[in-house]
Amino acid sequence: MNKTKYLLIVGGFFTVILAIGLRQKLILPDDTESLQEDKIPQRKPNIVYVLIDDMGWKDLGCTGSTYYETPNIDKMASEGMIFLNAYSASSLCAPSRGAILSGKNPARTKFTTVFYGNAGPDDRLYEKSKYQGEQDQYLEALHRHVLPSSETLISEALSDGGYKTGLFGKWHVGECPGYFPDERGFDVAKGYRLTYSPPVHFLDQWPKGVLANMPEPKKDDYLSDILTDQCIEFIKENKEVPFFAFLSHHLVHAPYQPKAEIYERYKDKQTTDQVNPKYAAMVESVDESMGRLLNTLKDLGLEKNTLVIFTSDNGGYVPDATSNYPVFGGKAQAFEGGVRVPLIMKWPGVIETGESSDRVIGMDFYPTLLSAAGLPLRPEQHMDGMDITPLFKKENLPERPLVFHYPHYTGKTGPYSSIIDNDWKLIQFYNDETGAYLLYNLAEDPDEQNDLAESQPEIRDRLAQQLKEMLVDMGAEFPILNENDDPNREGTLVQGKWTEGRVDLKWCKEVADIDREIIEKRLK
């Protein structure tokens, strides 16, 4: 063998060796997929979902309050994303919670209101919740007292996907056998009502046996602290597996029962349009709970692989509890203040910090949590929700109409439906001879002070038709004409209180206007 041939053979050998080494070092694109298949899959993210009862959109420092003190939640917001146009699916708690858990509009499930007494015992439609409307033009619509058993809840979907699931606190979508949370996808469930009893915030004030799986109460045990303890215990016990922890506080719902030591700091504090020191102290207890949860995740090394969500089930109750000003109205009303809620999400490395102005709604959580967990979507179940994970990277969502349907009575409203589409909002009140409407342009008038129903008849009529068609498509129940109504009646009985006139558009608007006047006087 001559020298030249020898050198070519040896050089070629080392070239092959070098190429193999570089190939393994660089991982060429053709091999990437197969190498990924050999790796252990990354663990699914944990999910901590914190739901507050009746917290208004402006009840946090990071959303505009200068009266309430929420440093832990504000810090979470600075490290995550605030959703500036987050909506609950209803202005009352039970239907809103049903929408979160089912991914469906309350109109579709017919779980549209809150009721007195015990739920169930099954999926049947009921005629009466609190006040049926016997003294008015329309009776309330037929409705359910439980979230139907035919629905596959998000807890069940996550459980099927390998998650350990726990609920701690308020349930309110079925307080009867067959509908309790531990029968609907939650491995652990504590602090929910086994039977009806008005809420209170000190554990020893609850009738014995009403709250499920709770410890023997000690004097001054604060319910939110106990529920937070239980949620943290669940997280620690399941830190090695993916978990879904749903902390559903009874705070900040009335009665206003704060911890005494926190109340002391607010009773002489300078007020704004928000003036209730007891409520302020309850808000701070929520913040304490949130701080403990976030610190637990950090201490356990789970912070980076956990999606944390903080929100409320409906708008704040005005004017007694809080103020949503300048947004109009509050809980149990057809206006923005009844359905605008705080929403903050944090997931380090996945959710960019900052703000999103896209409109999102309670039904969106179902597909979003499945998407975040890497689980298959269930479009036949969450048909009224949208996967909003594109917002995590500050991409925009496609425009879609939002529909609200409350065909019932409260102390602040009569039966109504509404629709938001491309910044236009139409509200229909049913207790009027031909149906009455309010129309607002939310882009120019976000506080709903300029009714355009008469000046924009084409937009009004188009939205009215669209609203009707969407509700019919959902199979919604509508208010029922009251055959015993006396059109000459001088007043109306609403939840035991005699009011002047019908519970119609005029009455509902006047109630909200009076509340607003009270709040505006505080600012003078």
Side-chain angles (χ1 to χ4, degrees), residues 33 47 63 112 247 261 268 272 342 371 388 436 467:
E33 185 175 350
I47 301 167
T63 57
T112 47
L247 178 54
E261 64 274 19
D268 296 321
T272 59
S371 180
I388 66 170
L467 175 60

Side-chain angles (χ1 to χ4, degrees), residues 125-264:
L125 294 175
Y126 286 80
E127 293 181 349
K128 185 172 184 177
S129 56
K130 294 184 176 182
Y131 167 67
Q132 190 179 7
E134 299 95 329
Q135 307 292 326
D136 226 303
Q137 182 183 356
Y138 278 89
L139 304 177
E140 66 176 327
L142 298 176
H143 57 279
R144 291 192 168 102
H145 287 187
V146 296
L147 196 56
S149 55
S150 57
E151 305 298 334
T152 301
L153 307 191
I154 184 60
S155 48
E156 296 170 298
L158 290 172
S159 181
D160 290 345
Y163 276 75
K164 292 293 289 185
T165 55
L167 173 122
F168 308 92
K170 186 170 180 175
W171 178 235
H172 216 199
V173 297
E175 294 166 351
C176 55
Y179 298 87
F180 291 130
D182 54 5
E183 299 171 293
R184 306 206 69 175
F186 284 100
D187 300 313
V188 177
K190 300 181 179 182
Y192 63 92
R193 289 184 294 200
L194 292 167
T195 186
Y196 178 76
S197 181
V200 287
H201 298 293
F202 288 93
L203 186 56
D204 62 354
Q205 293 180 14
W206 283 87
K208 189 174 180 61
V210 168
L211 294 182
N213 304 316
M214 296 298 281
E216 191 67 26
K218 299 188 291 292
K219 182 176 173 54
D220 294 332
D221 270 352
Y222 206 55
L223 182 56
S224 67
D225 291 341
I226 303 301
L227 295 174
T228 305
D229 291 343
Q230 293 174 328
C231 187
I232 288 173
E233 181 182 7
F234 171 82
I235 290 171
K236 290 179 176 178
E237 290 177 350
N238 294 284
K239 63 183 180 179
E240 303 299 333
V241 297
F243 59 79
F244 171 48
F246 189 171
L247 178 54
S248 180
H249 279 299
H250 295 266
L251 291 173
V252 287
H253 194 291
Y256 308 119
Q257 298 175 318
K259 290 192 276 188
E261 64 274 19
I262 301 180
Y263 170 65
E264 285 296 317

Side-chain angles (χ1 to χ4, degrees), residues 197-499:
S197 181
V200 287
H201 298 293
F202 288 93
L203 186 56
D204 62 354
Q205 293 180 14
W206 283 87
K208 189 174 180 61
V210 168
L211 294 182
N213 304 316
M214 296 298 281
E216 191 67 26
K218 299 188 291 292
K219 182 176 173 54
D220 294 332
D221 270 352
Y222 206 55
L223 182 56
S224 67
D225 291 341
I226 303 301
L227 295 174
T228 305
D229 291 343
Q230 293 174 328
C231 187
I232 288 173
E233 181 182 7
F234 171 82
I235 290 171
K236 290 179 176 178
E237 290 177 350
N238 294 284
K239 63 183 180 179
E240 303 299 333
V241 297
F243 59 79
F244 171 48
F246 189 171
L247 178 54
S248 180
H249 279 299
H250 295 266
L251 291 173
V252 287
H253 194 291
Y256 308 119
Q257 298 175 318
K259 290 192 276 188
E261 64 274 19
I262 301 180
Y263 170 65
E264 285 296 317
R265 297 203 297 273
Y266 285 95
K267 67 178 185 178
D268 296 321
K269 183 177 179 179
Q270 179 66 43
T271 61
T272 59
D273 53 318
Q274 297 167 326
V275 298
N276 188 330
K278 292 182 178 180
Y279 184 88
M282 292 164 66
V283 170
E284 185 166 327
S285 288
V286 168
D287 186 72
E288 284 184 348
S289 169
M290 204 67 211
R292 293 178 60 203
L293 282 177
L294 294 169
N295 287 336
T296 296
L297 295 173
K298 187 173 183 179
D299 293 343
L300 295 174
L302 300 174
E303 182 181 25
K304 290 185 178 180
N305 196 40
T306 302
L307 167 60
V308 182
I309 299 172
F310 178 91
T311 191
S312 175
D313 60 356
N314 50 250
Y317 185 73
V318 300
D320 299 341
T322 191
S323 165
N324 302 313
Y325 191 86
V327 170
F328 193 44
K331 174 186 176 177
Q333 292 178 305
F335 306 102
E336 290 285 280
V339 286
R340 285 275 299 280
V341 293
L343 173 59
I344 303 167
M345 295 192 193
K346 177 186 174 183
W347 187 1
V350 178
I351 297 179
E352 294 188 14
T353 59
E355 299 175 344
S356 171
S357 59
D358 285 56
R359 290 190 179 96
V360 298
I361 194 167
M363 293 85 76
D364 295 338
F365 289 115
Y366 198 125
T368 301
L369 294 186
L370 291 183
S371 180
L375 297 174
L377 298 184
R378 302 186 180 210
E380 74 289 348
Q381 176 60 53
H382 50 72
M383 59 178 61
D384 298 313
M386 181 182 290
D387 175 8
I388 66 170
T389 55
L391 297 181
F392 294 177
K393 299 301 181 184
K394 296 188 177 178
E395 300 172 9
N396 291 324
L397 298 176
E399 286 287 341
R400 39 92 188 248
L402 302 183
V403 170
F404 306 85
H405 186 55
Y406 188 76
H408 306 280
Y409 293 85
T410 73
K412 286 182 175 286
T413 195
Y416 72 87
S417 302
S418 64
I419 183 171
I420 300 173
D421 191 21
N422 287 310
D423 290 330
W424 286 99
K425 178 176 180 178
L426 181 83
I427 308 172
Q428 177 182 3
F429 292 92
Y430 291 96
N431 272 326
D432 293 85
E433 291 298 330
T434 59
Y437 302 97
L438 294 172
L439 178 66
Y440 301 104
N441 185 323
L442 296 180
E444 299 177 0
D445 178 28
D447 306 327
E448 298 171 299
Q449 295 300 293
N450 184 22
D451 174 28
L452 302 174
E454 294 302 317
S455 63
Q456 299 286 348
E458 291 184 3
I459 296 174
R460 178 198 66 205
D461 294 346
R462 174 180 61 80
L463 288 176
Q465 183 63 28
Q466 183 181 1
L467 175 60
K468 180 179 179 180
E469 290 176 357
M470 292 186 70
L471 288 173
V472 169
D473 182 68
M474 292 181 194
E477 297 288 337
F478 291 90
I480 301 166
L481 189 64
N482 182 6
E483 296 179 355
N484 297 319
D485 175 48
D486 179 2
N488 297 317
R489 189 185 307 277
E490 294 182 357
T492 298
L493 189 67
V494 179
Q495 294 186 19
K497 296 181 180 180
W498 193 258
T499 67

Side-chain angles (χ1 to χ4, degrees), residues 6-22:
Y6 172 81
L7 290 173
L8 287 171
I9 293 172
V10 172
F13 174 79
F14 280 106
T15 300
V16 171
I17 295 298
L18 179 61
I20 291 172
L22 286 171

